[in-house]
Amino acid sequence: MDVHIIGGGVIGLSSAYYLNKAGINVTVIDNGDITDNCSFGNMGYISPSHFTPLASPGIISQGLKWMLSPSSPFYIKPRLSVDLLEWGIKFWKSSNAATVEKNTPHLNNLLQLSRRLVNDLRNDLGDTFDMETIGCLMLCKQQKTLDHEFHMADEAEVLGLKVSRLLKDDVQQLEPDVQLDVAGAVLFKDDCHFHPGKMMLALKSYLENNGVSFLLNTSVTGFEKSGAEVTAIITDKGKINCSQLVLTAGSWLPVVAKKLGIKLLLQPGKGYSYTYPSVEKNIKYPAILVDGRCAITPWGNALRIGGTMELSGINNKILVKRMEGIYQSVKDFYPGLKIDFPPTDKIWSGLRPVTPDGLPYIGKHSAYNNLVIAGGHAMLGISMGTGTGKIVSEILQRKTTAINISAFRTERFG
């Protein structure tokens, strides 16, 4: 079996990793050079703690309030788009307690699977990407936010996660070098973090050394089909015969799928980040700043701040006000952290692929019997990369998947 994977983000490379370990010939096709896609500039979390889908109760009303502020964590660019409208309606319909209760166990299973597998990945690649297993803080500024997070900690324990409930002084003891201004936090002990850019480069190098082929800076322009088979991939570099095809194109997944006559509801959600190469007195723990809807990650002396969800289509335009909101939240939570506002020409942005219900698409599609789709992981691509890659490999080998993937059906929206 030969497998061609379109998309060289963390889902594509993780799929290539498990297929390669199974002795299968793999070629990865990407329209870039795999040095700076969305899998590089994120916060680097492996987060079993993020078991609640993005589409959840209250998210719509809160999002509408945020829309009024140019520096808020959420923004939808007003535009005439049938796809955006259809996605928005499905997102609204998914943002209810019953759907969340149904989807949470499936999301949790994939997160837990990925967390277990990432240890094996580190052992295979070598300890080269600054992985730490100290957990992640859910930092809360207001008492009502902390009360909610303590409630979420109760739910996490039911799912088998290990947590610690911390008050203000407890959190400050964990960060002796930097003054905080918070009500408290929940420490999710099962979470870990690493440098995603270093991990991606290490994974790509491992795959190259183990026989995986890469066709980079190559754009897919179409496909040849015969009945229920995709027989060839048409690119700007020529035609490539195809026996098994995997689509892992991230936010470009609907664009590529459309060339096969397949419609997928998915919107690109832009996130921003900036990495300080050296902070004299740095924090020790990665943290989600819950009230501020942003995040912060240390790697030794380096520090990354990031966040926002901007639905403005596929583009790389930087709205500096968004980074101003992230920076101000960080300063509010960590008044003792000595960092300046990032240079505007150094702000990074990437497009996260967001489905209407907050669950990824993983599985085959009825249109073709040699096609597997894997994408739509939103902010959890790194967190769910290894688990998704293993499942893709199992599907192609016609094995029973490690977990039940019925909730991730590729055709659940029609």
Side-chain angles (χ1 to χ4, degrees):
M1 175 165 45
D2 293 323
V3 177
H4 286 82
I5 298 173
I6 297 177
V10 66
I11 305 302
L13 295 196
S14 295
S15 299
Y17 171 78
Y18 285 100
L19 288 164
N20 176 262
K21 289 184 77 68
I24 296 169
N25 294 324
V26 180
T27 299
V28 177
I29 304 171
D30 194 87
N31 61 3
D33 58 5
I34 311 184
T35 59
D36 190 31
N37 57 36
C38 192
S39 300
F40 280 75
N42 61 78
M43 306 310 294
Y45 295 162
I46 304 293
S47 303
S49 59
H50 286 45
F51 54 81
T52 302
L54 180 62
S56 57
I59 190 76
I60 300 294
S61 58
Q62 182 62 67
L64 291 174
K65 295 176 184 177
W66 280 330
M67 283 284 291
L68 302 176
S69 170
S71 60
S72 72
F74 178 75
Y75 174 68
I76 299 178
K77 180 182 178 181
R79 60 194 189 278
L80 291 174
S81 169
V82 174
D83 289 340
L84 176 62
L85 178 61
E86 190 173 354
W87 179 93
I89 292 171
K90 296 290 187 182
F91 186 89
W92 172 68
K93 289 182 176 180
S94 299
S95 301
N96 61 79
T99 302
V100 169
E101 184 178 357
K102 179 183 69 174
N103 287 342
T104 291
H106 296 280
L107 190 60
N108 176 64
N109 288 341
L110 182 53
L111 287 165
Q112 296 265 24
L113 172 65
S114 299
R115 177 63 184 90
R116 293 192 297 271
L117 292 172
V118 80
N119 292 329
D120 298 331
L121 182 71
R122 177 180 59 178
N123 293 338
D124 244 8
L125 303 186
D127 192 6
T128 61
F129 43 90
D130 305 332
M131 182 169 163
E132 291 190 73
T133 57
I134 59 176
C136 182
L137 291 167
M138 294 291 178
L139 271 183
C140 302
K141 186 81 170 174
Q142 302 178 56
Q143 185 60 45
K144 65 178 182 179
T145 311
L146 183 62
D147 293 340
H148 178 264
E149 286 303 313
F150 278 8
H151 173 69
M152 294 299 294
D154 296 339
E155 293 188 25
E157 288 178 323
V158 172
L159 294 171
L161 299 177
K162 297 186 291 292
V163 301
S164 289
R165 297 164 183 80
L166 308 174
L167 300 180
K168 179 177 181 178
D169 291 343
D170 302 321
V171 181
Q172 189 63 73
Q173 287 182 17
L174 296 179
E175 296 290 1
D177 298 330
V178 178
Q179 177 195 355
L180 281 78
D181 184 7
V182 296
V186 174
L187 175 63
F188 282 88
K189 298 180 179 180
D190 300 283
D191 286 18
C192 68
H193 71 287
F194 52 66
H195 193 294
K198 291 182 180 179
M199 188 280 293
M200 287 291 292
L201 294 176
L203 181 52
K204 178 174 178 286
S205 177
Y206 172 93
L207 294 173
E208 288 174 325
N209 292 335
N210 283 274
V212 172
S213 300
F214 285 84
L215 297 177
L216 303 181
N217 300 304
T218 300
S219 297
V220 174
T221 58
F223 297 91
E224 288 184 358
K225 290 91 71 177
S226 177
E229 298 273 344
V230 182
T231 56
I233 305 164
I234 310 301
T235 77
D236 59 350
K237 304 286 178 64
K239 185 174 77 171
I240 305 163
N241 291 329
C242 169
S243 62
Q244 295 290 333
L245 177 64
V246 181
L247 299 187
T248 61
S251 288
W252 286 261
L253 192 57
V255 178
V256 179
K258 187 177 182 180
K259 299 178 190 300
L260 288 165
I262 293 172
K263 181 176 181 177
L264 291 174
L265 289 183
L266 186 148
Q267 286 292 313
K270 187 184 296 178
Y272 296 87
S273 73
Y274 177 75
T275 305
Y276 297 90
S278 181
V279 177
E280 183 178 353
K281 290 188 176 181
N282 205 1
I283 62 172
K284 300 182 182 299
Y285 281 79
I288 305 291
L289 314 187
V290 181
D291 313 68
R293 295 280 177 163
C294 60
I296 186 167
T297 307
W299 300 294
N301 290 328
L303 181 71
R304 178 171 291 173
I305 63 174
T308 79
M309 177 62 73
E310 178 189 315
L311 302 179
S312 58
I314 292 180
N315 67 78
N316 57 5
K317 183 179 179 180
I318 300 291
L319 298 181
V320 177
K321 285 287 186 181
R322 299 290 160 198
M323 179 53 77
E324 288 178 2
I326 295 169
Y327 175 78
Q328 190 56 56
S329 288
V330 170
K331 293 295 289 184
D332 287 345
F333 278 73
Y334 299 90
L337 191 59
K338 305 300 182 184
I339 54 173
D340 296 323
F341 185 75
T344 56
D345 62 336
K346 300 296 184 182
I347 297 171
W348 180 93
S349 72
L351 299 175
R352 316 181 195 94
V354 185
T355 66
D357 60 0
L359 299 184
Y361 297 119
I362 308 173
K364 297 182 73 68
H365 193 284
S366 62
Y368 303 97
N369 56 31
N370 64 335
L371 171 67
V372 174
I373 295 172
H377 295 72
M379 296 91 72
L380 298 174
I382 290 289
S383 287
M384 296 191 281
T386 49
T388 302
K390 183 173 179 60
I391 290 168
V392 168
S393 174
E394 290 167 340
I395 292 170
L396 286 168
Q397 295 177 79
R398 299 183 180 180
K399 294 182 176 181
T400 301
T401 53
I403 60 172
N404 179 353
I405 61 170
S406 61
F408 310 132
R409 311 185 300 282
T410 60
E411 297 170 75
R412 63 186 183 270
F413 299 110

